Amino acid sequence: MSVQPEVTQIGEKLRLLQVRTENTKTTCISVLLLMPLLENTAENAVLASFLTHASAKYPTLSKLNERLEELYGAILSADVSKLGEGYRLRFSITCIRDDLALSGEQLSVEALRLLLELLFSPHAENGLFDRAQLETEVRLCAEDLESELNDKRAYALSRCLEIMCADEPFGVSKAELLEAVRAVTPESMFKAWQQLLREATVSVQVIGNVDFAPFENMLHKALELQNGDRAPAEIQTVFVESAEDVTEVTEEMDVNQSKLVLGFRTGMRDRDDGYFAMRLMTDLFGGGPYSRLFMHVREKLSLCYYCSARLDRNKGIVMVQSGIERKNKDAALSEIKKQLKVMQNGEFTDEEFAASKAALCDAFRGLGDTPEGLDVYFAQSLDGAVCTPEDMVKGLAAVTREDVVRAAKSLTLDTVYLLAGKEEAENA
């Protein structure tokens, strides 16, 4: 499906992105706010959930749910994530297409109005959020963070990133964030919310087959751009071009399966520097079942239960994750390095190269099948030029074997982290 977004810059670091999609039954609307990672990190983590559970007009969850039912069962969601040294809050609402409403209501307009009410007119009195509601949201946010710490695969990845980026904002510790979340107060939350609206880079995405005309005026009114209060903060992401040496850390824990995580610097100087070649190289190295890590480390040598590579474009790093038996750590590490050397020497086959390129291109072509898929895709970049899925396919299709080899040669190993099982150590 062809995707041609219309981007309107309606204020400083405030844009409206509109994408008309045909043959879909839903409309997806999102408000995305990007702040420097270390600015009110704990409060922003709680705000994502807090602001989608009540507002001044709908002060209880039951009243809010009644309104969502009036909008034919519209669905609200919120999440937070790191984008480089930025912290992104994403608030979304999905509703059925306007022309499917029984009485001809402009559901997309009403859905955006509700989303803006939640974000800009929250349930608060005298400069404070409701304490009882806040206590509930803090507890839920803390439980979410604890569940991430209890997921040993996610925990090992987080620990490797913390060690690798210890001197960068990106290396903020989940344990430190959990402690800070528990210390959030109604006063600190309200101040963080005010700062978020004043300093965030904002992108509003409306994706569906709707009349886009009303949305720009609604945003102007909601943000009151005329008063000049907004002073968007700059996001300065640290891109380290190469690792000076390798840091190796082993930690023990009661786990049934050891986790080996490797962190590589890519040589990228920004999120667009050689991106297409690096994306294809990472996929061929450790993406699908055609990849070198899957075929050799897992299938041929049986050194791990899983082994994959992932590129973080917004930070310029590649992470390799594997689940192993502790006794296989050295052999698995050696084979992962060997397969990277294969990539650097251009010794991968034409069939592997073609399979990787086809898989990635097919994945991007499929994004236009649903408004939700496009919404998640465009949410990865809140500023600068908009790259469509079709642009991605063209960029990937143009990558040559030589480009992949060049990208592989730019990788330098920075950190090796092993989360090792104590029982495994006793039996080794």
Side-chain angles (χ1 to χ4, degrees), residues 8 18 23 44 69 75 97 128 143 147 158 198 203 210 222 229 233 249 251-252 290 324 385 388:
T8 305
Q18 301 165 104
N23 303 319
N44 286 335
E69 287 302 314
I75 299 173
R97 204 172 62 204
L128 295 176
E143 289 175 356
S147 69
S158 293
R198 185 173 62 251
S203 178
V210 297
D229 284 346
V249 175
E251 295 179 343
E252 292 189 345
Y290 42 77
I324 62 171
T388 69

Side-chain angles (χ1 to χ4, degrees), residues 157 161 282 286 308-313 317-321:
L157 176 62
L161 288 169
T282 306
S308 62
R310 179 179 65 88
L311 169 67
D312 186 333
R313 175 183 186 178
I317 55 178
V318 167
M319 306 302 293
V320 172
Q321 296 178 262

Side-chain angles (χ1 to χ4, degrees), residues 173-360:
S173 163
K174 284 286 180 67
E176 291 174 347
L177 177 57
L178 175 59
E179 183 179 353
V181 162
R182 289 174 173 152
V184 167
T185 67
E187 293 85 358
S188 68
M189 274 277 289
F190 194 82
K191 290 179 180 177
W193 168 72
Q194 291 178 313
Q195 186 175 353
L196 181 69
L197 298 189
R198 185 173 62 251
E199 299 182 10
T201 295
V202 183
S203 178
V204 180
Q205 300 175 174
V206 183
I207 302 173
N209 190 8
V210 297
D211 177 13
F212 293 134
F215 296 118
E216 186 174 341
N217 287 335
M218 291 177 68
L219 290 175
H220 271 287
K221 183 177 180 181
L223 288 169
E224 297 180 344
L225 297 177
Q226 309 90 308
N227 61 21
D229 284 346
R230 273 181 51 77
E234 291 292 333
I235 309 297
Q236 299 291 340
T237 294
V238 178
F239 283 83
V240 178
E241 292 188 43
S242 64
E244 295 182 359
D245 48 33
V246 179
T247 301
E248 292 202 34
V249 175
T250 296
E251 295 179 343
E252 292 189 345
M253 193 177 289
D254 288 322
V255 292
N256 295 325
Q257 182 188 106
S258 293
K259 314 294 181 186
L260 177 65
V261 185
L262 280 63
F264 294 88
R265 303 291 184 175
T266 65
M268 295 174 70
R269 290 162 294 183
D270 56 57
R271 69 185 305 273
D272 298 319
D273 184 18
Y275 168 67
F276 295 111
M278 190 63 68
R279 179 63 183 270
L280 187 54
M281 186 282 299
T282 306
D283 187 71
L284 182 51
F285 179 41
Y290 42 77
S291 69
R292 303 296 304 186
L293 295 183
F294 183 90
M295 291 299 297
H296 293 267
V297 186
R298 182 183 187 275
E299 294 294 292
K300 184 178 179 180
L301 299 177
S302 299
L303 290 173
C304 61
Y305 301 99
Y306 63 86
C307 192
S308 62
R310 179 179 65 88
L311 169 67
D312 186 333
R313 175 183 186 178
N314 292 287
K315 183 60 179 171
I317 55 178
V318 167
M319 306 302 293
V320 172
Q321 296 178 262
S322 59
I324 62 171
E325 293 182 26
R326 184 172 183 169
K327 64 183 181 182
N328 290 333
K329 183 254 187 178
D330 290 339
L333 177 58
S334 177
E335 188 62 27
I336 292 170
K337 291 179 179 178
K338 178 181 176 181
Q339 292 308 317
L340 178 58
K341 197 67 177 178
V342 168
M343 299 294 300
Q344 293 171 336
N345 292 338
E347 295 169 355
F348 50 88
T349 68
D350 289 338
E351 290 77 14
E352 291 167 342
F353 178 67
S356 177
K357 183 177 287 191
L360 284 178

Side-chain angles (χ1 to χ4, degrees), residues 142-176:
E143 289 175 356
D144 286 342
L145 288 169
E146 287 173 335
S147 69
E148 292 180 31
L149 293 173
N150 290 329
D151 179 344
K152 302 313 176 191
R153 183 171 178 174
Y155 173 80
L157 176 62
S158 293
R159 283 293 295 134
C160 186
L161 288 169
E162 289 168 17
I163 295 164
M164 182 176 176
C165 304
D167 298 325
E168 306 157 36
F170 193 81
V172 61
S173 163
K174 284 286 180 67
E176 291 174 347

Side-chain angles (χ1 to χ4, degrees), residues 14 141 160:
L14 171 61
C141 184
C160 186

